[in-house]
Amino acid sequence: MTTFGVPPRRVDGVLLDIDDTLVDTRGAFAAALRAVAEAHLPEDVDHGAVLDHWRSDPAGHYRRYTRGETDHRTQRRLRADLLHRTFGGAPVGEEAFDAWDELFWGTFERSWRAFDDAAGFLDRLRAAGVDLGVVTNAGVALQEQKLAAVGLDLPILVGVDTLGYGKPHPDVFVEGARRLGTLPGRTAYVGDEPRVDATAAHEAGLLGVWLDRPGARRADEHDADVAAMRARGIVVVPGLAAALPDLVGDA
């Protein structure tokens, strides 16, 4: 039983992140960025560094999007331009971006895959009578498309376009529980980000579950204090199945 010192808890509802929780978005980004690098960046570019740069969002463009301060296209174009300037590519202005994004986004969409443990985890929760839904920092339509593409059937309850802002704001988690029809204190949130997902959900009154998949942390989350998170009652697990005892007990 992988409770890491947290007493077993039975919940009525589970809210889930999608990217790098149910869907291997990191792998899809790796494929998309390799295609971009082969087309636009020097031959000797470090593909791992390119992926880490994109996911770490060093200029905070995606974080501004999740706060409702910019739109999805603009944040992606600015990240593309910064990526090129960092790794020796040509500037990506408005005219060049459409072709760039057709390569990047087309490869990204074709590379979506569900994690091997996702479907079984959801089936087990449903069998235990737990209500399920998604709270995500991406747009609702995009995430509906993504789940359909990988064969997972879940309602998108809250996206970044639902309230006009996203996680880690506590309203997002509370609204997810409200739409699910469960009390925050009887609802868990499962996600791959230690702060934006697990800690933020905990601070909003939910049971925070950090899915710490081996090798999948973002560079800016490597310094997360796991012991401190567990001491606060945040569940830390290496895979989805390992979270089941804390969510459904022996059910």
Side-chain angles (χ1 to χ4, degrees), residues 103-121:
L103 173 62
F104 172 82
W105 199 257
T107 307
F108 179 58
E109 288 184 337
R110 290 190 296 272
S111 302
W112 291 335
R113 301 289 185 275
F115 283 108
D116 291 342
D117 57 356
F121 176 71

Side-chain angles (χ1 to χ4, degrees), residues 22-219:
L22 298 174
V23 176
D24 183 8
T25 309
R26 182 180 189 275
F29 275 134
L33 290 165
R34 179 170 287 274
V36 164
E38 290 175 351
H40 298 292
L41 300 180
E43 290 185 3
D44 61 350
V45 72
D46 183 336
H47 292 283
V50 170
L51 175 61
D52 185 64
H53 182 278
W54 184 266
R55 285 169 52 81
S56 65
D57 185 30
H61 295 304
Y62 191 80
R63 291 190 291 276
R64 280 192 282 278
Y65 168 63
T66 65
R67 294 195 297 265
E69 298 169 4
T70 189
D71 62 86
H72 195 249
R73 174 188 165 87
T74 298
Q75 65 84 21
R76 199 158 70 246
R77 187 192 68 76
L78 292 174
R79 290 168 72 191
D81 183 61
L82 179 58
L83 184 83
H84 276 223
R85 288 191 284 114
T86 301
F87 293 99
V92 182
E94 282 290 347
E95 292 185 1
F97 180 66
D98 284 341
W100 187 98
D101 201 41
E102 183 177 356
L103 173 62
F104 172 82
W105 199 257
T107 307
F108 179 58
E109 288 184 337
R110 290 190 296 272
S111 302
W112 291 335
R113 301 289 185 275
F115 283 108
D116 291 342
D117 57 356
F121 176 71
L122 299 177
D123 289 344
R124 177 67 187 276
L125 291 175
R126 290 190 180 101
V130 176
D131 293 323
L132 302 175
V134 167
V135 170
T136 172
N137 264 6
V140 170
L142 168 62
Q143 298 298 63
E144 288 176 340
Q145 178 189 357
K146 190 178 295 177
L147 287 180
V150 303
L152 298 178
D153 182 17
L154 285 170
I156 311 292
L157 300 178
V158 179
V160 72
D161 45 352
T162 302
L163 300 178
Y165 51 88
K167 302 175 293 183
H169 199 290
D171 289 357
V172 175
F173 300 98
V174 174
E175 178 64 10
R178 187 190 71 79
R179 293 185 178 216
L180 192 63
T182 56
L183 296 173
R186 298 287 296 171
T187 307
Y189 187 82
V190 181
D192 69 293
E193 297 279 7
R195 296 183 181 87
V196 173
D197 291 333
T199 301
H202 172 81
E203 292 175 350
L206 286 73
L207 172 63
V209 180
W210 178 25
L211 177 62
D212 183 21
R213 291 189 186 276
R217 295 189 208 174
R218 294 188 182 186

